[in-house]
Amino acid sequence: MYDRILIPTDGSECADSAVEHALDIAAQYDAELHVLSVVDSRDVSHSAPAISPEQVQQTLRDRAESVVESVAERAEAAGVTVVTAVEPGIPDDVVVEYAADEDCDLIVMGTHGRTGLERYLLGSVTERTVRRSSVPVLTVRGSEESDDA
């Protein structure tokens, strides 16, 4: 049923919960797991005026690569074939495009990575991905959300 599963991750606790589900599904179906982290390409210069936008982007890319590598190590330890990618762009755009380009059968992602007012004003990457994806999207709540439900 599933040959290629996409797990977008930002390294948050909620994304980590989704990783566990994706690893389990990939192992059950002997599917290839695609681990993707997106470096948001929108302007970040306002967040740290003393640091150049290039330095901020490089720091974000380094963190994304570390997160992807960590998930890849877990997949390999579980005997799951893994493909990794770190891509720049607008997160939901990149997730939807990546899933289509790589012919993924399922996207597994946390319900959110960010918290607070910004999430409610902008909407979440997950919500936009669910609306736009042509393949099923399994959303996973983080442990901190279970207490609020």
Tab-separated table of all heavy atoms in Angstrom, residues 45-71:
chain	number	residue	atom	x	y	z
A	45	SER	N	15.445	38.854	8.103
A	45	SER	CA	16.342	39.934	8.514
A	45	SER	C	15.813	40.711	9.711
A	45	SER	O	16.583	41.239	10.493
A	45	SER	CB	16.611	40.880	7.346
A	45	SER	OG	15.399	41.454	6.890
A	46	HIS	N	14.499	40.744	9.876
A	46	HIS	CA	13.930	41.500	10.992
A	46	HIS	C	14.124	40.818	12.339
A	46	HIS	O	14.059	41.437	13.368
A	46	HIS	CB	12.427	41.716	10.765
A	46	HIS	CG	11.650	40.443	10.795
A	46	HIS	ND1	11.601	39.591	9.714
A	46	HIS	CD2	10.929	39.860	11.779
A	46	HIS	CE1	10.856	38.541	10.023
A	46	HIS	NE2	10.445	38.674	11.267
A	47	SER	N	14.411	39.508	12.335
A	47	SER	CA	14.488	38.768	13.589
A	47	SER	C	15.789	39.001	14.347
A	47	SER	O	15.827	38.835	15.552
A	47	SER	CB	14.291	37.272	13.338
A	47	SER	OG	15.319	36.796	12.505
A	48	ALA	N	16.842	39.356	13.676
A	48	ALA	CA	18.128	39.574	14.336
A	48	ALA	C	18.929	40.586	13.522
A	48	ALA	O	19.773	40.210	12.714
A	48	ALA	CB	18.877	38.262	14.453
A	49	PRO	N	18.671	41.881	13.725
A	49	PRO	CA	19.312	42.889	12.881
A	49	PRO	C	20.839	42.898	12.932
A	49	PRO	O	21.480	43.328	11.985
A	49	PRO	CB	18.744	44.214	13.384
A	49	PRO	CG	18.014	43.914	14.630
A	49	PRO	CD	17.790	42.448	14.716
A	50	ALA	N	21.440	42.401	14.007
A	50	ALA	CA	22.898	42.402	14.114
A	50	ALA	C	23.530	41.245	13.334
A	50	ALA	O	24.744	41.211	13.156
A	50	ALA	CB	23.317	42.319	15.576
A	51	ILE	N	22.704	40.319	12.870
A	51	ILE	CA	23.196	39.158	12.129
A	51	ILE	C	22.663	39.256	10.705
A	51	ILE	O	21.503	39.557	10.484
A	51	ILE	CB	22.716	37.850	12.785
A	51	ILE	CG1	23.174	37.780	14.248
A	51	ILE	CG2	23.207	36.644	12.019
A	51	ILE	CD1	22.576	36.628	15.012
A	52	SER	N	23.508	38.961	9.746
A	52	SER	CA	23.078	39.061	8.348
A	52	SER	C	22.054	37.971	8.023
A	52	SER	O	22.081	36.889	8.613
A	52	SER	CB	24.275	38.930	7.412
A	52	SER	OG	24.703	37.588	7.343
A	53	PRO	N	21.166	38.240	7.070
A	53	PRO	CA	20.200	37.220	6.654
A	53	PRO	C	20.880	35.940	6.174
A	53	PRO	O	20.373	34.839	6.399
A	53	PRO	CB	19.434	37.899	5.510
A	53	PRO	CG	19.573	39.358	5.774
A	53	PRO	CD	20.932	39.522	6.405
A	54	GLU	N	22.048	36.073	5.553
A	54	GLU	CA	22.779	34.898	5.093
A	54	GLU	C	23.227	34.037	6.265
A	54	GLU	O	23.165	32.803	6.204
A	54	GLU	CB	23.992	35.304	4.246
A	54	GLU	CG	23.635	35.959	2.930
A	54	GLU	CD	23.258	37.446	3.075
A	54	GLU	OE1	23.578	38.069	4.112
A	54	GLU	OE2	22.625	37.965	2.142
A	55	GLN	N	23.689	34.694	7.345
A	55	GLN	CA	24.110	33.947	8.536
A	55	GLN	C	22.922	33.236	9.179
A	55	GLN	O	23.040	32.086	9.607
A	55	GLN	CB	24.763	34.881	9.559
A	55	GLN	CG	26.121	35.387	9.150
A	55	GLN	CD	26.629	36.441	10.118
A	55	GLN	OE1	25.943	37.415	10.416
A	55	GLN	NE2	27.841	36.226	10.608
A	56	VAL	N	21.785	33.908	9.225
A	56	VAL	CA	20.583	33.299	9.793
A	56	VAL	C	20.181	32.096	8.957
A	56	VAL	O	19.903	31.009	9.489
A	56	VAL	CB	19.425	34.322	9.889
A	56	VAL	CG1	18.131	33.636	10.312
A	56	VAL	CG2	19.779	35.439	10.859
A	57	GLN	N	20.156	32.248	7.636
A	57	GLN	CA	19.785	31.142	6.752
A	57	GLN	C	20.752	29.967	6.904
A	57	GLN	O	20.326	28.811	6.914
A	57	GLN	CB	19.727	31.609	5.287
A	57	GLN	CG	18.511	32.448	4.966
A	57	GLN	CD	17.211	31.665	5.072
A	57	GLN	OE1	17.116	30.528	4.669
A	57	GLN	NE2	16.209	32.306	5.634
A	58	GLN	N	22.043	30.250	7.022
A	58	GLN	CA	23.024	29.165	7.186
A	58	GLN	C	22.815	28.444	8.512
A	58	GLN	O	22.906	27.214	8.579
A	58	GLN	CB	24.459	29.695	7.082
A	58	GLN	CG	25.501	28.588	7.098
A	58	GLN	CD	25.322	27.595	5.955
A	58	GLN	OE1	25.232	27.979	4.797
A	58	GLN	NE2	25.271	26.307	6.278
A	59	THR	N	22.533	29.190	9.560
A	59	THR	CA	22.264	28.576	10.861
A	59	THR	C	21.028	27.691	10.790
A	59	THR	O	21.019	26.565	11.304
A	59	THR	CB	22.084	29.666	11.945
A	59	THR	OG1	23.297	30.416	12.036
A	59	THR	CG2	21.750	29.063	13.295
A	60	LEU	N	19.983	28.179	10.114
A	60	LEU	CA	18.759	27.385	9.959
A	60	LEU	C	19.029	26.134	9.123
A	60	LEU	O	18.530	25.055	9.434
A	60	LEU	CB	17.660	28.234	9.315
A	60	LEU	CG	17.125	29.389	10.157
A	60	LEU	CD1	16.162	30.248	9.336
A	60	LEU	CD2	16.469	28.884	11.429
A	61	ARG	N	19.831	26.270	8.092
A	61	ARG	CA	20.163	25.114	7.246
A	61	ARG	C	20.973	24.079	8.034
A	61	ARG	O	20.717	22.877	7.933
A	61	ARG	CB	20.925	25.555	6.003
A	61	ARG	CG	21.232	24.378	5.086
A	61	ARG	CD	21.751	24.817	3.724
A	61	ARG	NE	21.858	23.684	2.850
A	61	ARG	CZ	20.859	23.108	2.193
A	61	ARG	NH1	19.644	23.589	2.303
A	61	ARG	NH2	21.057	22.069	1.422
A	62	ASP	N	21.938	24.540	8.814
A	62	ASP	CA	22.745	23.627	9.634
A	62	ASP	C	21.856	22.856	10.608
A	62	ASP	O	22.011	21.650	10.786
A	62	ASP	CB	23.825	24.389	10.410
A	62	ASP	CG	24.908	24.961	9.510
A	62	ASP	OD1	25.002	24.566	8.320
A	62	ASP	OD2	25.666	25.829	9.997
A	63	ARG	N	20.912	23.558	11.235
A	63	ARG	CA	20.001	22.899	12.176
A	63	ARG	C	19.126	21.889	11.439
A	63	ARG	O	18.915	20.781	11.914
A	63	ARG	CB	19.127	23.928	12.886
A	63	ARG	CG	18.221	23.278	13.931
A	63	ARG	CD	17.383	24.292	14.685
A	63	ARG	NE	16.620	23.825	15.792
A	63	ARG	CZ	15.837	22.767	15.858
A	63	ARG	NH1	15.735	21.968	14.846
A	63	ARG	NH2	15.160	22.453	16.939
A	64	ALA	N	18.612	22.255	10.269
A	64	ALA	CA	17.771	21.356	9.483
A	64	ALA	C	18.541	20.099	9.096
A	64	ALA	O	18.012	18.976	9.182
A	64	ALA	CB	17.242	22.071	8.242
A	65	GLU	N	19.790	20.256	8.691
A	65	GLU	CA	20.608	19.100	8.318
A	65	GLU	C	20.841	18.182	9.516
A	65	GLU	O	20.804	16.956	9.389
A	65	GLU	CB	21.923	19.559	7.693
A	65	GLU	CG	21.719	20.146	6.310
A	65	GLU	CD	22.962	20.770	5.706
A	65	GLU	OE1	24.011	20.820	6.384
A	65	GLU	OE2	22.876	21.212	4.544
A	66	SER	N	21.043	18.775	10.672
A	66	SER	CA	21.232	17.988	11.892
A	66	SER	C	19.971	17.198	12.242
A	66	SER	O	20.041	16.020	12.605
A	66	SER	CB	21.618	18.927	13.043
A	66	SER	OG	21.690	18.217	14.250
A	67	VAL	N	18.820	17.847	12.124
A	67	VAL	CA	17.541	17.194	12.418
A	67	VAL	C	17.308	16.034	11.463
A	67	VAL	O	16.941	14.920	11.871
A	67	VAL	CB	16.384	18.220	12.346
A	67	VAL	CG1	15.038	17.537	12.315
A	67	VAL	CG2	16.466	19.195	13.504
A	68	VAL	N	17.528	16.254	10.179
A	68	VAL	CA	17.322	15.217	9.163
A	68	VAL	C	18.271	14.042	9.412
A	68	VAL	O	17.872	12.879	9.335
A	68	VAL	CB	17.502	15.820	7.754
A	68	VAL	CG1	17.675	14.749	6.705
A	68	VAL	CG2	16.312	16.702	7.414
A	69	GLU	N	19.510	14.325	9.722
A	69	GLU	CA	20.493	13.267	9.976
A	69	GLU	C	20.111	12.444	11.204
A	69	GLU	O	20.255	11.216	11.207
A	69	GLU	CB	21.893	13.863	10.143
A	69	GLU	CG	22.979	12.822	10.194
A	69	GLU	CD	22.998	11.893	8.984
A	69	GLU	OE1	22.776	12.337	7.853
A	69	GLU	OE2	23.241	10.679	9.178
A	70	SER	N	19.608	13.099	12.219
A	70	SER	CA	19.176	12.390	13.428
A	70	SER	C	18.040	11.405	13.122
A	70	SER	O	18.042	10.260	13.577
A	70	SER	CB	18.732	13.408	14.487
A	70	SER	OG	18.213	12.751	15.615
A	71	VAL	N	17.073	11.845	12.338
A	71	VAL	CA	15.959	10.968	11.962
A	71	VAL	C	16.470	9.836	11.069
A	71	VAL	O	16.058	8.675	11.226
A	71	VAL	CB	14.828	11.755	11.271
A	71	VAL	CG1	13.742	10.810	10.770
A	71	VAL	CG2	14.228	12.786	12.227
